[in-house]
Amino acid sequence: MRNFHVFPRIVLATVPALLLMVSAACHKQVPEQAVRAQLAALQAAMDARDATAVRDLLATDFIGEQGLEKRGAHQLAAGLFLRYREVSAKIGPIQVEVLDPSNAIARFNLLATGGSGGLLPDSGQVFAVETGWQYIDGHWLLRNASWKPAL
C-alpha cells in the first residue's frame, strides 16, 4: 500500500510531458485534436523518461493535486524516473470538452506501470483523471489536473 501515493504523482507527471512533444503542431489543429495530441505527447514523454518534457507541457501557473505546482511536478517526475526503471503510463479512452477556442477539459482513465514490470500502485488501481488545458502563446498547455480511484 506504500506505493499508493506514488501513482497519483505519476499521473501528474504523465499529463504534462505529452503536451510538449507536439506543441509545435497543435496550433494548426482544432482544439479537440490538439489536446488529444498533447496527451499523446505526454504519454511519449513518460515512456521516454523525460522529466523536462513533462515540465515543458505545463502552464506556468499549473496546479495539481494537493497544491502540486509546475516545479514540484518536474521534480516529482525526475524522482520517479530515477526510482523506477520502467515507468510507463497507459491512458484510456479520452473525452475532450472544448469550453471555448482557448480552454478545454480532457477526461480519461490512467494506469501507470513501473519497476520491473509491476503495477503502480501495488493494487493496480486505475484512476479517473480530469485535466484542464489552455491555449497559451501558440501552445496547448496543462493548467490543472485532478484524479481519483476509478474502481
Side-chain angles (χ1 to χ4, degrees):
M1 197 65 178
R2 187 172 163 192
N3 286 336
F4 179 79
H5 298 288
V6 173
F7 182 74
R9 293 176 182 154
I10 290 174
V11 172
L12 179 61
T14 302
V15 175
L18 291 178
L19 298 176
L20 178 63
M21 298 176 92
V22 294
S23 61
C26 287
H27 71 280
K28 297 178 184 177
Q29 298 173 325
V30 296
E32 181 177 352
Q33 292 171 333
V35 169
R36 287 178 184 278
Q38 292 294 71
L39 284 168
L42 178 57
Q43 184 165 355
M46 288 296 292
D47 291 345
R49 304 170 49 84
D50 188 344
T52 300
V54 171
R55 180 199 64 210
D56 291 344
L57 294 168
L58 299 175
T60 302
D61 59 349
F62 171 82
I63 191 76
E65 289 287 335
Q66 300 176 349
L68 187 64
E69 39 57 66
K70 184 174 183 171
R71 181 177 173 195
H74 177 246
Q75 292 172 339
L76 178 61
L80 288 171
F81 295 148
L82 288 173
R83 181 173 179 178
Y84 298 100
R85 190 173 53 96
E86 297 176 18
V87 173
S88 177
K90 304 301 179 208
I91 296 175
I94 301 167
Q95 298 174 335
V96 177
E97 177 184 351
V98 177
L99 304 175
D100 61 49
S102 62
N103 290 285
I105 296 172
R107 295 177 185 91
F108 52 90
N109 288 332
L110 186 133
L111 173 64
T113 60
S116 5
L119 294 175
L120 294 178
D122 291 336
S123 66
Q125 192 165 3
V126 175
F127 283 76
V129 180
E130 181 171 302
T131 56
W133 299 85
Q134 186 171 23
Y135 191 70
I136 303 170
D137 296 330
H139 304 283
W140 282 93
L141 299 175
L142 185 64
R143 296 243 4 237
N144 57 68
S146 62
W147 51 88
K148 62 182 177 181
L151 303 176

